[in-house]
């Protein structure tokens, strides 16, 4: 995007962000593509709003899109930049371009070396401007598992995994309304995964077009095949594309061909059937052989077994060309080329030396050998942050893997590659993630690690290595937020373990990751499997703990079950766990915690038993967990205690328990289990701080929640508590900025029903109401409904937020009407953090509406909110108004300031008639209240 066409002062990075906003990319997607944090993206977006002079992100995206349309020639195409020029193929380029423009799925079909990838890239670049959301290239060469096809697409798009959905689902949701061209390169070895993925993609994403390259049809409905022909030969050498390619590559090497030598060039190209790869390889030998030598070499029938000109023979021609190319190499270079073919992704010289540098090839000879191979076009070389990386074209790599088999070197080469992958994975695991380029290092190595694991898992003598590598990859992918793969790798490690105790441990980790994915059924299944495995090994105490944890999962993760287990399942597991626990402290603690959940399900309806017994059981669970020395067990028990205290209506005790819990978790290393605990604890801590009027504490915990890596792709949940805390404080600018990330993430999720996010959306609506923007407020209230929030679920916070808006605009009667319900009759889970706000605002509304029983409301509220600084100040202010005692209002203004609630302070100044009130509200981004 040209900076001359946007506001002055926009930096290069901001211009990049603006372009991606115009493509309707979320902040998480932008951060992933530009390798910056989501918070940095948010900062750039806020800056752009000011510089471009638009009020919100929607207008900013529209402005960016307008600029993109005005500069269509600069349309974004996320395509690799070829190192050499594209030559010829005018007719083929036009034909394929026409096919892609007319069909939603086109497969460019042809043998290896015919030039499918280069043609597809050229066509994608031509058509990028016709797709509003650009063209994207997905290299499937490094992918060895067909099931990882969607993951490769997600990585190319800069997507991470969201809780509750797979990477495939994230891709489908992201592209659902995008007008995008997706180039899937080298699909032939992944047909079992690529075909169903493309079919789902086209069904769910009506504006996506797929251009695939493959050596075989994908057999997908509506697939349009375009057979990529060889380069034209013809009678006129000057017009032949094959000759033009040879001449271009020769000139690039500094060896231009004289006009009188065109016949010899034509003969070379004819012998190579006009195939692009062999022609490029032949041209690369020109400086060492000369044209005469090249012609003579290719004429040797022992080196080049050229068949007829039929398409079936092209594979034979490519193989013959590679035979010839290898025959011209030195023995050491042939050896090196064979051995480095085990790498599926680009590699460095140091990597190659470690894998390929063994007798008869010296490690210190590898770097020079790689340079020679690159000079002869057998490898490509490209700079990277970690140094030059080399890569063999897929056709060459497959050929060399066959050579490894023929020479009997394959097993040793793969074993050394496995050793390198294990060492690399161990180093990355040890760095988790302490180095700034950890993510780059992981991304560079992960495809090779996956390939090595796939091979080792099938070799009985490497089963132990495969188990260890699967565990390392599980830890690494979790840190990289590939939590779906992390669960898969832990389960794979369990299947590879010879020791049942090791298998049970891996299954527990898999269960923990399933929890992070909000997959309750998987978590439940895996803990039960861990229990069975531990019991088979004679570890009955551990089995008891696993069974109890499975029972706990039914209650703690109830929202994560698509279909909950049978109603008596948890009780049955608890009974079985009791029998196995014996005197093991950890098992007894888990059983005690499970008892809390089972009691909640089967508790007697008598009020006294529903209040006292859960607290007693939870306190016992906390004590037992503490004795184990396991902070995660203690955290889970504290969660049960906080729930019991909430049920008893003791908001302050609940807040103290949740704060104790987050402080306990603060020093624990990040693991799947601790990550899940921390998400839950921080959310509840922020909620309970709001309940007791501690907005500073609520914001502190909410910021930590926002910044958790596990929630990088869940910006809606990550920002939800911070939006509420900032809204109640009146920090409108913060709410507006955070609401963009919230909305981005929710839309990216497919606008899923998520009732637990309704409170945040309602808080944003309240801020728009305080700003006087009724249309925006209505939009956010509609979002509350779209999130699937039932009327009874939002009764408390909707009444509070509406009352604040109505009181701001001088409508106390409406506020009082909305607060008319008796909070004691509401579900405790609905009213729990809002009770003090509800009662204090009801008292103020009653006073300002001149309600006859206003003083009774004040008395009730004052008793209930004691200890809550904000609710107490609200009640004091209402009492001052009722008593017509304006001299008491400055004290309430000071109380609001001390409680970090600048909005209520500004409102108090307004009620006092203080002229500074207007400025204070303006600074908050709000409008002046109605008297």
């Amino acid at each position: 995007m040209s900076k001359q066409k946007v506001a002055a002062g926009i930096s290069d990075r901001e211009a990049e962000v603006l372009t991606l906003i115009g493509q309707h990319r979320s902040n998480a997607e932008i951060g992933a593509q530009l390798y910056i944090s989501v918070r940095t993206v948010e900062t750039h977006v806020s800056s752009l709003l000011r510089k471009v002079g638009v009020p919100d992100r929607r207008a900013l995206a529209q402005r960016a899109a307008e600029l993109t349309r005005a500069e269509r020639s600069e349309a974004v195409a996320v395509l690799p930049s070829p190192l050499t020029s594209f030559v010829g193929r005018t007719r083929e380029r036009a034909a394929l371009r026409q096919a892609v423009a007319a069909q939603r799925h086109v497969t460019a079909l042809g043998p290896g070396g015919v030039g499918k990838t280069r043609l597809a890239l050229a066509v994608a670049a031509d058509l990028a401007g016709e797709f509003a959301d650009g063209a994207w290239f997905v290299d499937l060469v490094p992918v060895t598992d067909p099931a990882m096809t969607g993951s490769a697409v997600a990585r190319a798009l800069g997507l991470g995994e969201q809780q509750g959905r797979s990477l495939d689902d994230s891709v489908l949701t992201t592209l659902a309304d995008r007008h995008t061209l997706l180039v899937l390169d080298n699909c032939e070895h992944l047909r079992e995964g690529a075909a169903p993925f493309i079919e789902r993609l086209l069904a769910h994403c009506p504006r996506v077009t797929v251009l695939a390259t493959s050596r075989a049809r994908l057999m997908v409905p509506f697939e349009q095949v375009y057979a990529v022909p060889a380069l034209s030969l013809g009678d006129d050498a000057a017009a032949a594309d094959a000759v033009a390619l040879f001449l271009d590559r020769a000139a690039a090497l500094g060896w231009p061909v004289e006009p009188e030598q065109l016949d010899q060039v034509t003969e070379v190209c004819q012998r190579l059937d006009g195939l692009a790869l062999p022609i490029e390889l032949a041209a690369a030998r020109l400086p060492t052989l000369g044209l005469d030598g090249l012609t003579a070499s290719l004429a040797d029938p022992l080196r080049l077994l050229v068949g007829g000109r039929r398409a079936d023979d092209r594979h034979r021609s490519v193989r013959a060309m590679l035979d010839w190319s290898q025959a011209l190499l030195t023995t050491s270079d042939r050896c090196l080329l064979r051995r480095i073919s085990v790498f599926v992704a680009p590699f460095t010289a140091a990597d190659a030396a470690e894998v390929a540098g063994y007798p008869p090839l010296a490690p210190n000879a590898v770097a020079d050998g790689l340079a020679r191979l690159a000079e002869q076009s057998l490898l490509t070389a490209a700079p990277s942050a970690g140094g030059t990386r080399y890569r063999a074209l897929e056709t060459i790599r497959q050929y060399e893997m066959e050579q490894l088999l023929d020479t009997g070197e394959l097993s040793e080469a793969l074993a050394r590659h496995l050793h390198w992958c294990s060492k690399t994975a161990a180093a990355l695991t040890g760095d988790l993630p302490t180095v700034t380029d950890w993510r780059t290092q992981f991304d560079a190595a992960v495809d090779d690690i996956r390939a090595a694991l796939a091979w080792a898992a099938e070799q009985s003598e490497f089963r132990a290595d495969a188990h260890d590598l699967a565990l390392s990859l599980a830890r690494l992918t979790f840190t990289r937020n590939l939590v779906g793969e992390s669960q898969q790798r832990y389960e794979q490690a369990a299947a590879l373990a010879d020791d049942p105790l090791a298998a049970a441990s891996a299954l527990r980790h898999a269960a923990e990751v399933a929890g992070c994915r909000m997959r309750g059924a998987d978590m439940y299944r895996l803990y039960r499997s861990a229990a069975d495995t531990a019991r088979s090994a004679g570890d009955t105490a551990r089995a008891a703990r696993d069974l109890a944890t499975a029972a706990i999962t039914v209650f703690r993760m109830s929202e994560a079950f698509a279909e909950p287990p049978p109603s008596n399942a948890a009780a049955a597991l608890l009974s079985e766990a009791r029998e196995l626990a014996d005197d093991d402290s950890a098992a007894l603690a888990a059983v005690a915690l499970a008892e809390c959940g089972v009691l909640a399900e089967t508790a007697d309806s008598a009020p006294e038993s529903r209040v006292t017994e859960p607290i007693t059981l939870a306190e016992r669970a906390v004590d037992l967990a503490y004795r184990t020395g396991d902070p995660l067990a203690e955290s889970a028990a504290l969660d049960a205690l906080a729930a019991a205290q909430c049920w008893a209506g003791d908001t302050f005790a609940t807040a103290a328990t949740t704060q104790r819990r987050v402080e306990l978790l603060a020093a624990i290393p990040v693991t799947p289990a601790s990550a899940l605990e921390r998400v839950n604890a921080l959310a509840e801590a922020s909620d309970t701080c709001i309940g007791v009027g501690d907005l500073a504490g609520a914001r502190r915990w909410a910021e930590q929640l926002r910044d958790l890596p596990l929630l990088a792709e869940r910006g809606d949940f990550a920002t939800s508590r911070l939006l509420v805390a900032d809204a109640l404080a009146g920090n409108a600018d913060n709410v507006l900025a955070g609401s963009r990330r919230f909305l981005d993430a929710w839309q990216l999720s497919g606008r899923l029903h998520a009732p637990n996010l309704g409170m945040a959306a309602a808080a944003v609506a309240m801020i728009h109401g305080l700003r006087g923007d009724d249309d925006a407020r209505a939009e956010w209230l509609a979002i509350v409904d779209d999130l699937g929030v039932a009327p009874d679920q939002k009764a408390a916070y909707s009444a509070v937020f509406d009352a604040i808006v109505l009181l701001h605009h001088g409508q106390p009667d409406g506020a009082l009407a909305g607060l008319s319900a008796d909070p004691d009759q509401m579900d405790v889970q609905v009213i729990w953090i809002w009770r003090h706000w509800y009662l204090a605002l009801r008292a103020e509304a009653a006073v300002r509406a001149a309600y006859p029983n206003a003083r009774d409301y004040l008395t009730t509220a004052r008793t209930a909110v004691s200890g809550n600084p904000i609710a107490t100040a609200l009640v004091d202010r209402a009492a001052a108004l009722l008593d017509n005692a304006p001299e008491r209002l400055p004290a309430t203004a000071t109380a609001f300031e001390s409680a970090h609630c600048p909005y209520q302070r500004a409102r108090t100044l307004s009620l006092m008639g203080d002229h500074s009130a207007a400025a204070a509200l303006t600074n908050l981004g709000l409008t002046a209240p109605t008297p």
Side-chain angles (χ1 to χ4, degrees), residues 178-227:
R178 303 284 176 88
H179 187 211
T180 299
L181 173 61
L182 202 61
V183 181
L184 303 180
D185 190 39
N186 282 285
C187 295
E188 60 276 348
H189 65 300
L190 301 172
R191 290 172 65 190
E192 293 180 2
F197 175 80
I198 292 173
E199 189 170 355
R200 288 185 66 203
L201 181 70
L202 297 179
H204 287 83
C205 309
R207 302 180 69 206
V208 170
T209 295
V210 172
L211 171 56
T213 72
S214 180
R215 300 184 187 188
R217 289 189 61 183
L218 301 180
M219 307 302 292
V220 178
F222 312 114
E223 178 185 25
Q224 176 73 35
V225 172
Y226 175 80

Side-chain angles (χ1 to χ4, degrees), residues 426-450:
L428 286 169
T429 303
D431 285 338
L432 286 179
T434 58
V435 293
T436 55
D437 61 345
W438 183 90
R439 171 176 167 166
T440 302
Q441 291 181 19
F442 170 83
D443 288 348
V446 65
D447 286 319
D448 276 294
I449 294 172
R450 289 167 176 153

Side-chain angles (χ1 to χ4, degrees), residues 16-170:
E16 292 176 319
V17 172
L18 183 58
T19 296
L20 295 172
I21 288 172
Q23 298 171 40
H24 306 288
R25 308 290 303 283
S26 72
N27 285 353
E29 290 177 277
I30 295 171
Q33 181 167 332
L34 300 181
Y35 294 97
I36 56 180
S37 70
V38 172
R39 292 191 66 183
T40 301
V41 177
E42 292 171 353
T43 300
H44 286 315
V45 172
S46 297
S47 175
L48 285 166
L49 290 170
R50 293 192 302 271
K51 292 179 179 179
V52 179
V54 292
D56 53 35
R57 188 189 183 98
R58 187 182 310 166
L60 189 63
Q62 182 177 352
R63 177 63 174 145
E66 290 171 355
L67 291 169
T68 300
R69 287 192 293 270
E71 302 176 20
R72 182 59 70 182
S73 63
E74 299 180 23
V76 171
V78 186
L79 306 172
S81 300
L83 300 177
T84 54
S85 59
F86 185 80
V87 177
R89 290 202 183 276
T90 303
R91 288 189 298 274
E92 295 94 325
R93 191 170 180 170
L96 183 56
R97 186 167 58 237
Q98 183 178 7
V100 173
Q103 305 291 332
R104 293 195 58 217
H105 173 205
V106 178
T107 298
L109 194 69
V114 77
K116 303 182 295 294
T117 298
R118 292 299 301 272
L119 179 60
L121 283 172
V123 168
D126 292 342
L127 291 175
E130 304 303 319
F131 290 84
D133 295 303
W136 298 77
F137 179 85
V138 183
D139 181 10
L140 295 176
V141 169
V143 182
T144 54
D145 182 354
M148 298 291 290
T149 303
S151 298
V153 176
R155 184 163 70 175
L157 295 174
L159 299 178
E161 187 172 340
Q162 294 187 339
Q163 285 181 320
R165 61 176 54 236
S166 67
L167 276 172
D168 284 20
D169 291 335
S170 294

Side-chain angles (χ1 to χ4, degrees), residues 12 47-48 92 167 190 235 288 307 448 483 487 511 564-565 596 708 717 765 785 872 901:
D12 291 340
S47 175
L48 285 166
E92 295 94 325
L167 276 172
L190 301 172
D235 298 327
T288 54
D448 276 294
V483 287
Q487 179 184 332
C596 296
L708 288 179
F717 184 83
D785 293 334
T872 297
C901 191

Side-chain angles (χ1 to χ4, degrees), residues 855 858 862 873 875-894 908 912:
R855 194 167 295 279
L858 275 171
R862 188 176 297 283
V875 172
D876 288 344
R877 185 175 66 191
L881 294 175
L882 182 62
D883 296 339
N884 194 24
E887 69 279 2
R888 289 167 18 205
L889 292 177
T892 63
T894 300
T908 304
M912 292 165 52

Side-chain angles (χ1 to χ4, degrees), residues 548-549 551-552 555 570-571 573-575 577-578 587-603 613-614 616-618 620-621 624 640:
T549 306
I552 296 164
F555 308 109
L573 290 176
L574 174 59
S575 176
R578 283 196 189 107
L588 291 173
V591 167
L593 181 56
E595 287 172 341
C596 296
V598 171
L599 174 69
E601 183 181 49
T602 60
E613 191 173 357
T616 301
L617 281 176
R620 176 173 176 269
L624 289 172

Side-chain angles (χ1 to χ4, degrees), residues 689-690 693-703 725 729 870 898-901:
C689 281
I690 287 171
D694 180 10
L695 292 186
R699 196 173 202 287
R700 179 172 64 255
W701 305 131
E703 285 178 332
I870 295 176
S898 299
H900 304 279
C901 191

